[in-house]
Structures are given as structure tokens and as C-alpha cells.
Amino acid sequence: MSTLLDGKATSNQIKEELTEQVAELTSAGKRPPHLAAVLVGNDGASLTYVGSKVRSCQKIGFESTLIQLDDTITQDELLATIDKLNKDNSLDGFIVQLPLPKHINEEVVLDAINPKKDVDGFHPTNFGKMALGMETFIPATPFGIMELLKRYALDISGKHAVVIGRSHIVGRPMSILLSNKGNPGNATVTLTHSRTQNLAEITKEADIVVSALGVPNFLTADMVKEGAIIIDVGITRVADEQHPKGYVIVGDVHFEEVSKKASYITPVPGGVGPMTIAMLLQNTMLAYTRNAS
Ligand code: NAD
């Protein structure tokens, strides 16, 4: 049986550390860090994510601002909002919740964010710095996974890591961070995606698998090696009438099967999800500190 990588407990610990730092700042007469979130439209999952980001800010003593915009907003109007946030000195960082409506070009929007306030780490400047191993804002989900590996003292140096999925927000940055010099890091990485052939042959060779494709129960026991570390990024809402919400959240990993074979495994929910929020808060504290100095 495997050991659970408890993202909920670890994220709570990080939030407690941040709460203490905020208390120190405010008792020294300084303002707390301030994060803003821009949400365009009414997508259910996005509303849930942004809501929990805002609530987490409040819990640890950060200031937070939610800017909710109608999905009919033009790209230029959104860019004008971003320009205002870039210039607002009372704000340390802000995020634009993705996905955006189809008529808005995500690349143009992310490029308009001041890299110093880009606490999601999606701006090309910050992404480039991450790839070069320079100090920057690391995208929250991969950052959360690296932090989880670090806090559980899992040594991945020289090990074979297989990442499933090559999105700009999870798979691609994950593959870079795992291979970068550092601890955790120094892994030999294979980045796989929808065009990969014989995926199971590759995952079976992995000492660590990070699954970020968004297909429920995709990674089954026959695809993993005995003793592997398994990180499940997937979050898919699957209809379930038994549940009060009408759906349940299901990960990419067939937990029941794979947990019998893995050495360490993240649950869904309670694994990577809460770590993502904790690292966004951590990045906001980092932005505060950098902007203040
Ligand atoms: P995405 O849809 O942008 O990318 C999915 C990737 O999976 C693509 O690169 C694609 O090539 C790859 N893929 C699809 N089918 C495949 C297959 N059969 N074999 C191999 N690769 C395949 O997804 P994303 O934004 O990276 O999100 C992935 C999952 O992670 C989703 O379920 C999403 O909800 C979840 N997610 C969770 C968090 C979190 O905090 N836990 C954060 C972001 C995303």
C-alpha cells in the first residue's frame, strides 16, 4: 500500500506559515499582501476555483479583490482592465482565470500582464525565466507539485519522470521543473501527449508519473511500475445524481488500483488541487516582498 501525499494537510501548513508572516507585517504597521482575480463569464468550474482562491486569501489575512466581467466583454475592454491593475500600486499580483471566452485571445491577454504582478507565472518573460532556472513566479500547479515532493523529502534526482500532458499551465512547465537543476529536480524527463505512441510502455518505465490530461481513471495499475511515485493533476467533473452537487470530482489516476502499487500517491480531491491554491498565495507573498524591496 502506498503513502498518501496529503496536499490538503501540506497546503494548510503553508497557509499557516503565510498567516504568521501576514501577522508580522501588519503588527509592524505594514499593509497585508493584496491579490486580485479577474473572472470573465460564468463558467461553473472557474467560479468555484476563483471563489476558493478569494476565500483562501481572506482566511490568511491577505486582501483580495474579485473583478467579475460579463462574457460579452471585448478584448480591448479586458486589456483596459488589465492595464488598470498593472498600474494599481495597492495590488501585489493578479490573475486572469482561464479559460477565456473564444473571442478573446488568451496569448494577447497574458502578454499584457505586468510580469512583476504575474503571480500565475504565465507571462512569456516569467515562463522563460523558469525554463532558464532563474528566480521568477512558477505556475502554481507545477510549483505545488514540486513543493509537495520537497516537503515529503522525495528524492527524484536521476530518476525517470514521465509527464502526461503538455499544456502551458501544467504539463510543459512540470517537465521543465523536474529536469531543472535543484532539489527536487535533476530528473530524466519524458514529456508525453496525445500523439505519443505506446504510452503504457513509457509510463511502465517511470519512477515518477505526473498525469495531467483530464481523462477520469486513465492511468491504470498495468501502466505503472511497482513503487512509482504517482501525482494526479486531473480534475474532471463526472455526473453523479447521488451527490448533492450532482457531480463528483474524478482524477486521471485509477486510485483504487494504482495506490496498491505506488510508493507515494496524491488523492483527488485533496492532493494537487489545494497545493495549487497555496502556491498562488505563496507567489503573492513573493510579489509583495519583491515589490516592497
Ligand atoms: P489541457 O486539456 O490543456 O491538456 C491536456 C493534455 O493532455 C494535452 O497536452 C494533450 O496532448 C494530453 N492528452 C490528451 N489525451 C491524451 C492521451 N490519451 N494520452 C496522452 N496525453 C493526452 O489540460 P490542462 O489544462 O493541463 O489540465 C489537465 C487536467 O488537470 C484537467 O483535468 C484539469 O482540470 C486539471 N488541472 C488541475 C489543476 C489542479 O490544481 N489540480 C490545475 C490545472 C489543471
Side-chain angles (χ1 to χ4, degrees):
M1 219 36 201
S2 50
T3 301
L4 215 58
L5 294 170
D6 189 339
K8 193 148 196 259
T10 310
S11 70
N12 282 339
Q13 202 181 323
I14 294 167
K15 286 191 218 166
E16 269 170 38
E17 292 162 12
L18 288 168
T19 308
E20 279 170 27
Q21 290 173 35
V22 175
E24 273 172 32
L25 289 170
T26 49
S27 66
K30 295 178 179 151
R31 68 164 178 85
H34 184 182
L35 173 73
V38 180
L39 175 64
V40 182
N42 289 309
D43 174 67
S46 293
L47 274 167
T48 310
Y49 296 147
V50 170
S52 69
K53 287 169 188 173
V54 169
R55 272 195 310 281
S56 297
C57 278
Q58 288 160 353
K59 265 195 209 149
I60 66 164
F62 280 13
E63 246 187 82
S64 65
T65 304
L66 174 60
I67 299 150
Q68 236 179 313
L69 304 168
D70 203 84
D71 60 4
T72 56
I73 191 169
T74 65
Q75 183 166 302
D76 283 345
E77 284 167 328
L78 179 57
L79 291 173
T81 303
I82 289 173
D83 188 46
K84 253 198 247 164
L85 298 175
N86 281 339
K87 291 176 179 150
D88 183 344
N89 290 331
S90 75
L91 264 185
D92 301 293
F94 66 95
I95 60 162
V96 177
Q97 183 67 41
L98 303 178
L100 291 167
K102 291 212 161 35
H103 65 278
I104 295 177
N105 184 328
E106 235 163 64
E107 264 179 32
V108 172
V109 169
L110 295 178
D111 203 31
I113 297 174
N114 176 353
K116 290 189 171 145
K117 291 191 173 186
D118 170 41
V119 285
D120 257 341
F122 295 160
H123 190 280
T125 296
N126 287 329
F127 203 93
K129 284 185 173 179
M130 176 197 60
L132 294 169
M134 294 165 72
E135 202 178 79
T136 182
F137 296 114
I138 295 169
T141 302
F143 194 11
I145 294 168
M146 297 304 278
E147 190 67 20
L148 206 52
L149 295 173
K150 190 175 179 177
R151 293 196 181 222
Y152 275 84
L154 299 182
D155 185 12
I156 60 162
S157 178
K159 302 278 170 66
H160 184 200
V162 173
V163 179
I164 310 177
R166 59 177 163 188
S167 74
H168 294 167
I169 62 168
V170 190
R172 177 82 57 188
M174 196 67 238
S175 70
I176 294 169
L177 292 168
L178 289 166
S179 68
N180 270 358
K181 279 186 184 162
N183 185 19
N186 294 325
T188 303
V189 179
T190 305
L191 179 59
T192 67
H193 45 78
S194 53
R195 303 284 178 96
T196 297
Q197 292 174 3
N198 304 322
L199 180 67
E201 296 306 313
I202 300 168
T203 54
K204 263 196 282 194
E205 296 296 321
D207 302 303
I208 167 166
V209 179
V210 179
S211 185
L213 74 157
V215 177
N217 297 320
F218 178 84
L219 194 78
T220 45
D222 56 321
M223 294 172 77
V224 304
K225 186 165 89 174
E226 195 76 42
I229 299 168
I230 306 292
I231 309 288
D232 189 353
V233 185
I235 294 180
T236 309
R237 288 181 176 201
V238 175
D240 182 351
E241 285 175 11
Q242 310 295 327
H243 200 274
K245 282 186 177 163
Y247 65 86
V248 285
I249 299 292
V250 182
D252 285 354
V253 177
H254 195 302
F255 186 87
E256 207 189 321
E257 282 181 22
V258 176
S259 60
K260 293 191 179 112
K261 239 176 150 181
S263 55
Y264 292 87
I265 188 166
T266 59
V268 174
V272 176
M275 287 302 292
T276 296
I277 294 187
M279 300 325 277
L280 173 67
L281 301 172
Q282 182 99 302
N283 274 343
T284 306
M285 179 59 93
L286 208 59
Y288 176 96
T289 316
R290 285 182 189 158
N291 293 343
S293 57

